[in-house]
C-alpha cells in the first residue's frame, strides 16, 4: 500500500465520501429538456384553461359584458402570475411561441436565450398545451370538448390591437432581461397582460398558441378559426416590432474613454 492509499484508508468515512465541489465559475446544471418542454406544455394548458374557464364562468354569472371581461382578466392576471412563478425556474415560463422565438433570436445575436433545439421542443409543447387547455376548460363546465368558435375577430382595428399587445409584451420581457430584473416577471408580465385586456381592442391575445387553442371553444374567450391566421400574423409582426424597440432602447453600455465627456 502506498503512503497516499494508507492516508486515504485512515481518513474518516465522511471525508472520503465528500462530494467534489464545482468550480466557482462553472455553469449551474440545467433542467433536462424533456422536463422543460413538459413545463411549457402544462403551463400553457393551465393558462388557456384559466382564460377559457373564467370566461365561461363569467358568462354564467352575469350578462354584463363589462363584468364578464373584468372577471376574465382578473382570473388571467392572478393565474398567469402564479404560473410564471411556478414554472419560471424550470423553463423560463414562456407559454408563448413569440416569446420563445424572440429569445431564440436574441441568443443568435449573442444574448441569453434558447437554442434551436430548445425552441423546437418548446413550440409544439405550447401548441399542444393550448389545445388541451381549451378542451379541459370545456370539459370542466360540461360543454362539448371541441366546438369551433363562431366569434369573428377579423376586423382591422382588432389586428392592430394584436400588433400593439404583442410588441409591448416582447419589449417588456426583453427589457426585464437586459436590465437584470427578470425576478419581477411574475408581477410585471401578469400586470401588463391584465392592462392590455382593457387598453387593446383585441383584448390582447398576444400569443399564437393561445390563439389556436381558443379556436377550439365556442365561448366568451373563443376566436373563429377563420380569424386565427390574421391574429397569428399580426402577433409575429408585433414580435418583430418588440425586438426592434428593445434593441433600440436597451443598447449595451459603452465604456467612456478618459478625457471625453459621456
Amino acid at each position: 500500500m502506498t503512503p497516499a492509499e494508507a492516508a486515504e484508508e485512515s481518513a474518516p468515512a465522511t471525508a472520503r465520501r465528500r462530494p467534489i465541489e464545482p468550480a466557482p465559475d462553472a455553469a449551474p446544471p440545467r433542467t433536462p429538456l424533456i422536463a422543460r418542454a413538459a413545463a411549457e406544455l402544462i403551463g400553457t394548458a393551465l393558462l388557456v384553461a384559466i382564460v377559457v374557464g373564467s370566461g365561461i364562468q363569467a358568462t354564467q354569472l352575469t350578462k354584463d359584458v363589462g363584468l364578464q371581461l373584468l372577471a376574465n382578466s382578473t382570473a388571467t392576471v392572478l393565474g398567469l402570475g402564479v404560473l410564471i412563478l411556478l414554472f419560471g425556474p424550470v423553463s423560463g415560463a414562456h407559454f408563448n411561441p413569440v416569446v420563445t422565438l424572440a429569445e431564440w433570436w436574441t441568443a443568435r445575436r449573442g444574448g441569453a436565450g434558447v437554442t434551436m433545439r430548445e425552441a423546437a421542443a418548446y413550440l409544439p409543447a405550447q401548441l399542444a398545451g393550448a389545445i388541451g387547455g381549451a378542451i379541459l376548460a370545456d370539459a370542466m363546465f360540461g360543454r362539448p370538448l371541441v366546438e369551433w368558435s363562431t366569434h369573428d375577430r377579423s376586423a382591422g382595428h382588432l389586428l392592430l390591437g394584436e400588433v400593439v399587445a404583442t410588441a409591448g409584451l416582447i419589449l417588456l420581457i426583453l427589457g426585464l432581461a437586459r436590465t437584470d430584473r427578470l425576478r419581477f416577471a411574475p408581477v410585471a408580465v401578469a400586470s401588463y397582460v391584465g392592462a392590455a385586456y382593457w387598453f387593446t381592442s383585441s383584448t390582447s391575445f398576444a400569443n399564437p398558441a393561445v390563439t389556436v387553442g381558443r379556436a377550439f371553444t365556442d365561448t366568451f374567450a373563443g376566436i373563429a378559426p377563420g380569424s386565427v391566421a390574421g391574429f397569428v400574423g399580426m402577433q409575429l409582426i408585433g414580435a418583430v416590432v418588440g425586438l426592434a424597440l428593445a434593441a433600440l432602447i436597451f443598447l449595451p453600455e459603452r465604456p467612456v474613454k478618459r478625457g471625453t465627456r459621456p
Side-chain angles (χ1 to χ4, degrees):
M1 180 180 294
T2 65
E5 290 172 338
E8 182 180 352
E9 183 66 25
S10 62
T14 54
R16 293 200 303 270
R17 293 195 298 266
R18 185 177 299 164
I20 299 174
E21 295 290 337
D25 57 347
R30 300 203 65 184
T31 305
L33 182 56
I34 189 172
R36 284 179 275 147
E40 286 298 301
L41 187 150
I42 296 170
T44 310
L46 291 175
L47 173 60
V48 174
I50 290 167
V51 173
V52 174
S54 62
I56 296 172
Q57 186 78 281
T59 56
Q60 292 181 350
L61 294 175
T62 180
K63 300 300 181 184
D64 187 312
V65 178
L67 287 178
Q68 291 173 358
L69 186 61
L70 178 62
N72 189 217
S73 61
T74 301
T76 301
V77 168
L78 297 176
L80 179 58
V82 170
L83 292 175
I84 295 173
L85 189 63
L86 176 62
F87 292 110
V90 180
S91 67
H94 296 183
F95 313 145
N96 188 335
V98 294
V99 173
T100 299
L101 291 173
E103 289 214 359
W104 167 74
W105 178 257
T106 57
R108 287 184 71 251
R109 308 292 291 180
V114 298
T115 64
M116 174 64 78
R117 179 170 174 263
E118 291 169 327
Y122 279 22
L123 297 181
Q126 292 160 354
L127 183 60
I131 295 172
I135 294 173
L136 175 62
D138 280 338
M140 286 192 295
F141 287 90
R143 300 182 58 85
L145 298 185
V146 175
E147 188 175 19
W148 300 114
S149 177
T150 57
H151 195 160
D152 179 73
R153 299 178 188 264
S154 59
H157 65 283
L158 301 180
L159 299 177
L160 176 60
E162 279 303 286
V163 174
V164 173
T166 310
L169 177 63
I170 297 301
L171 175 61
L172 170 62
I173 292 172
L174 294 183
L176 290 175
R178 295 184 183 185
T179 56
D180 195 25
R181 292 186 294 176
L182 277 175
R183 61 189 179 280
F184 299 118
V187 172
V189 174
S191 298
Y192 173 80
V193 170
Y197 254 89
W198 292 91
F199 79 76
T200 64
S201 56
S202 63
T203 65
S204 182
F205 284 46
N207 186 326
V210 169
T211 302
V212 172
R214 288 167 70 165
F216 282 72
T217 176
D218 192 19
T219 59
F220 176 81
I223 177 173
S227 302
V228 168
F231 262 49
V232 171
M234 293 303 104
Q235 290 157 2
L236 293 173
I237 292 173
V240 173
V241 173
L243 281 166
L245 290 174
L248 175 65
I249 296 170
F250 299 102
L251 290 171
E253 295 183 1
R254 296 179 179 178
V256 179
K257 295 181 180 180
R258 292 183 178 181
T260 63
R261 295 184 178 180

